[in-house]
């Protein structure tokens, strides 16, 4: 988690106060968390049956091809 | 013998692809907003991925590969209704209320609305890197642009989101002393961490 950062982030020499830094970090984390939650909210829904049915149908169409000799 | 080593069997492919359906749905939703249209898009992308399975190389990132297909479907099939449907904040709100713990409501609604305002190229870059688990390099491949372009889009998107959330104080009042610029600097660091730099 807390890896060394190899000086590639040029912060133009500005040093922030510890409290501002903590506040920034807290808020930044919150934005990141919310972004992931907006995404995860969908990703964690139950998958509608239709998806798996369509995938199975596509697979069946392959295996039932008369010319298909596996 | 060796010509098969880079291919998954159809059953393996199907299993992996099925495991990606939640991500296809989530990425699709972020592109077109409306839940029904998004699922239509995600299904189309899933079937195209299935049909293209011969071109998938085992050992590479199937999620990135499938995202590329989904994105291509989204942009290429302009006749489809999802292409013309922008993210609608009211739809987002209805979805939010339907899906979510009321205690989380305002924060997520604010984020959804902020995302809805972003230009689509920034939104997709931000979602891919910030939530979809894609490295900058992978996002660049998915979107067919240079890595620097993706970094720039993510950077602008994050800054814009921070500013939108600043101007819309719902859910942010206790951090009102923070400026978007301050938040932004650390956001970029966090993005690097998420994107697995190093």
């Amino acid at each position: 988690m807390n890896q060394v950062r190899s000086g590639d982030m040029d912060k133009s020499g500005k040093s922030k106060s510890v409290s501002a830094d903590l506040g920034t970090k807290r808020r930044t984390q919150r934005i990141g968390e919310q972004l992931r939650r907006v995404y995860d909210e969908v990703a964690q829904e139950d998958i509608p049956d239709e998806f798996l049915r369509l995938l199975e149908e596509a697979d069946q169409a392959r295996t039932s091809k008369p010319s298909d000799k596996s | 013998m060796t010509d098969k080593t880079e291919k998954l069997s159809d059953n393996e492919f199907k299993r992996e692809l099925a495991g990606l359906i939640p991500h296809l749905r989530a990425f699709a939703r972020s592109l077109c907003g409306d839940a029904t249209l998004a699922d239509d898009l995600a299904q189309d992308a899933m079937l195209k991925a299935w049909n293209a399975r011969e071109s998938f190389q085992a050992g590479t990132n199937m999620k990135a590969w499938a995202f590329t297909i989904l994105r291509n479907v989204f942009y290429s099939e302009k006749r489809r209704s999802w292409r013309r449907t922008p993210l609608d904040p009211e739809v987002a709100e209805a979805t939010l209320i339907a899906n979510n713990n009321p205690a989380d409501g305002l924060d997520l609604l604010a984020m959804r609305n902020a995302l809805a305002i972003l230009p689509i190229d920034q939104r997709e870059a931000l979602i891919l890197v910030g939530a979809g688990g894609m490295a900058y390099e992978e996002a660049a491949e998915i979107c067919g642009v240079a890595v620097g372009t993706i970094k720039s889009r993510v950077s602008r998107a994050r800054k814009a989101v921070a500013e939108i959330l600043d101007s819309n104080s719902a859910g942010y009042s206790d951090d009102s002393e923070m400026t978007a610029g301050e938040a932004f600097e650390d956001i970029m660091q966090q993005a690097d961490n998420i994107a697995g730099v190093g």
Side-chain angles (χ1 to χ4, degrees), chain B residues 88-107:
Chain B
D88 179 345
E90 284 184 26
V91 171
E93 183 172 12
T95 308
L96 179 78
I97 290 167
N99 287 351
N100 230 23
N101 183 337
D104 298 339
L106 280 182
D107 272 8

Side-chain angles (χ1 to χ4, degrees), chain A residues 31 34-35 38, chain B residues 107-115 161 165 172:
Chain A
I31 290 177
Q34 284 172 27
L35 188 61
V38 165
Chain B
D107 272 8
L108 280 199
L109 180 57
M111 177 58 74
R112 282 176 172 282
N113 287 342
L115 287 170
V161 165
L165 294 177
Y172 283 88

Side-chain angles (χ1 to χ4, degrees), chain B residues 38-99:
Chain B
D39 270 357
D40 199 22
L41 169 60
Q43 284 172 8
D44 202 344
M46 177 189 73
L47 291 176
K48 282 198 162 60
W50 170 257
N51 289 332
R53 62 193 180 280
E54 291 295 321
S55 69
F56 175 73
Q57 291 208 320
T60 62
N61 187 336
M62 191 188 284
K63 185 157 109 176
W65 181 82
F67 277 175
T68 307
I69 291 172
L70 186 147
R71 186 180 175 280
N72 287 342
V73 173
F74 176 72
Y75 283 105
S76 65
E77 304 199 2
K78 294 188 162 101
R79 71 184 189 280
R80 302 295 290 264
S81 48
W82 63 64
R83 187 72 180 86
R84 297 191 301 272
T85 305
L87 260 184
D88 179 345
E90 284 184 26
V91 171
E93 183 172 12
T95 308
L96 179 78
I97 290 167
N99 287 351

Side-chain angles (χ1 to χ4, degrees), chain A residues 26-27 30 34 39 41 59, chain B residues 14 23 112 166 171 175:
Chain A
R26 189 162 65 91
R27 174 160 177 208
R30 209 154 121 197
Q34 284 172 27
Y39 180 94
E41 184 183 70
D59 191 25
Chain B
K14 186 169 69 170
H23 293 283
R112 282 176 172 282
D166 271 350
D175 281 334

